[in-house]
Amino acid sequence: MYDYHVHSMFSGDCKYTMEEMVLAAIDKNIKSLSFTDHIDYDYGSGNYSSEINFVFNTEDYMKEFKKIKNNYKNQIEILSGVELGMQPHLVDKIHELLPLDIFDFILMSVHTVKRQDLHEGEFFENKSAIKSYEEYYEDLYTCLDKFDNFDIVGHLNLIDRYSKYLNESVKFEDYKEIISEVLKKIISKGKGIEINTSGIRYGMESFLPNLDILKLYKSLGGEIITFGSDSHKPEDIGFAYNDVIKLLKELDFKYLTIFKNRKKQFINI
Ligand SMILES: [Zn+2]
Ligand SMILES: [Zn+2]
């Protein structure tokens, strides 16, 4: 098993040490794991962002990471990674803010749109449901267009998790065009997506992305997919891994992707 979306105490919303997460991963027979701790500059102005610090100290992180990596090197391979919260206005300054080259793996996620967070619903206020979708995917597209220094897009359709804030439901057909452009951009850049299994734990009916998006990705020629449990607790590491592999096979994907030193490796499934 390979899990490329795992948090530790270096994320403001996770209280477990790297060691606790690694021990759980070893217990579950994970071969290779990437930490993807949050760095989100400009998370918005809601309560969530004032209570939680979404930026960690990279020197402390690397020091702890190297210690844990070395201590458990005979049992598991671990990678230093980051879940980089991206917005169009951050693209130009990100390399000044963060030494991205220190990481083995970079997951780019959109958690905040127009400096308004999705989590507490600020972004959805006074906006039609379809407008929310358009703005979310347009911003993601702009980030993809302007920014190259990442490997995988995290939970591509995160907006679906916040349907409770929408005043009406949105059909896939209504935003299929923009999501196609997003997927084409990912493919043309040689980047990929993850299947993030946290949706199920948050009460959604499917993984992120859902079946419609995975089929569209496949039909457009998309091949690069990582597995990510998005664990914030040891027990969630590797969550629903076998179900994901089964789904990938059903959809005729041939392999899962892992990374080493920012380079792709394909694992036949
Ligand atoms: Zn995330
Ligand atoms: Zn995450």
Side-chain angles (χ1 to χ4, degrees):
M1 288 205 279
Y2 305 87
D3 194 339
Y4 276 61
H5 193 153
V6 175
H7 293 271
S8 78
M9 237 165 62
F10 287 97
S11 295
D13 57 356
C14 176
K15 61 179 185 187
Y16 297 94
T17 61
M18 280 185 168
E19 186 164 32
E20 287 172 299
M21 298 307 265
V22 165
L23 285 171
I26 292 169
D27 228 32
K28 290 172 187 249
N29 270 327
I30 304 276
K31 263 193 191 169
S32 168
L33 164 160
S34 182
F35 282 108
T36 47
D37 281 303
H38 286 295
I39 290 219
D40 246 292
Y41 298 106
D42 203 1
Y43 192 83
S45 55
N47 293 330
Y48 200 57
S49 66
S50 57
E51 284 163 15
I52 296 176
N53 180 9
F54 282 114
V55 178
F56 59 79
N57 179 305
T58 51
E59 281 172 27
D60 294 346
Y61 172 94
M62 290 313 290
K63 206 171 137 199
E64 180 67 8
F65 169 76
K66 281 177 185 157
K67 190 180 93 188
I68 300 297
K69 183 181 171 76
N70 192 46
N71 286 354
Y72 295 98
K73 65 175 184 240
N74 296 327
Q75 289 151 282
I76 189 168
E77 178 181 55
I78 56 172
L79 282 75
S80 62
V82 62
E83 181 175 10
L84 183 61
M86 190 46 87
Q87 295 179 69
H89 71 278
L90 293 173
V91 170
D92 290 336
K93 27 181 177 169
I94 199 72
H95 287 100
E96 288 164 34
L97 294 167
L98 186 65
L100 280 168
D101 295 339
I102 63 172
F103 296 108
D104 293 324
F105 178 64
I106 298 177
L107 185 66
M108 180 180 85
S109 295
V110 167
H111 300 115
T112 316
V113 184
K114 317 272 180 221
R115 296 185 157 121
Q116 295 175 316
D117 88 280
L118 303 181
H119 195 74
E120 289 185 307
E122 188 190 4
F123 167 68
F124 300 94
E125 282 167 24
N126 306 316
K127 206 178 283 170
S128 71
I130 189 64
K131 183 82 181 148
S132 301
Y133 270 70
E134 283 167 2
E135 286 190 358
Y136 171 83
Y137 283 114
E138 276 163 13
D139 265 23
L140 176 55
Y141 183 88
T142 307
C143 293
L144 287 165
D145 193 35
K146 291 167 83 183
F147 185 61
D148 288 317
N149 203 349
F150 71 97
D151 304 303
I152 290 285
V153 176
H155 44 59
L156 185 97
N157 59 331
L158 183 70
I159 190 165
D160 288 352
R161 205 177 114 187
Y162 300 109
S163 57
K164 63 180 177 190
Y165 295 126
L166 300 175
N167 50 10
E168 58 193 350
S169 62
V170 181
K171 288 195 228 53
F172 183 61
E173 291 302 320
D174 295 338
Y175 60 93
K176 189 174 173 187
E177 205 176 310
I178 174 86
I179 210 166
S180 297
E181 293 309 310
V182 164
L183 293 172
K184 280 188 221 163
K185 184 56 87 177
I186 293 171
I187 295 163
S188 72
K189 287 196 149 191
K191 312 291 187 188
I193 62 173
E194 65 168 357
I195 294 191
N196 179 310
T197 58
S198 72
I200 305 284
R201 299 197 304 274
Y202 290 115
M204 293 177 71
E205 282 164 12
S206 66
F207 302 132
L208 301 152
N210 57 30
L211 213 50
D212 284 333
I213 298 172
L214 288 171
K215 284 181 179 166
L216 182 58
Y217 182 58
K218 173 79 185 161
S219 75
L220 294 169
E223 295 183 312
I224 298 164
I225 299 183
T226 55
F227 170 88
S229 65
D230 206 349
S231 296
H232 290 69
K233 296 179 198 156
E235 63 262 36
D236 290 335
I237 290 177
F239 178 79
Y241 183 86
N242 292 336
D243 296 334
V244 166
I245 299 299
K246 191 166 159 256
L247 176 66
L248 286 175
K249 283 185 189 168
E250 279 166 14
L251 296 174
D252 207 27
F253 286 99
K254 304 294 181 208
Y255 43 76
L256 189 70
T257 303
I258 63 170
F259 284 80
K260 276 183 196 163
N261 299 322
R262 305 289 309 276
K263 296 224 165 44
K264 295 185 257 306
Q265 292 191 1
F266 300 116
I267 307 285
N268 288 322
I269 55 173

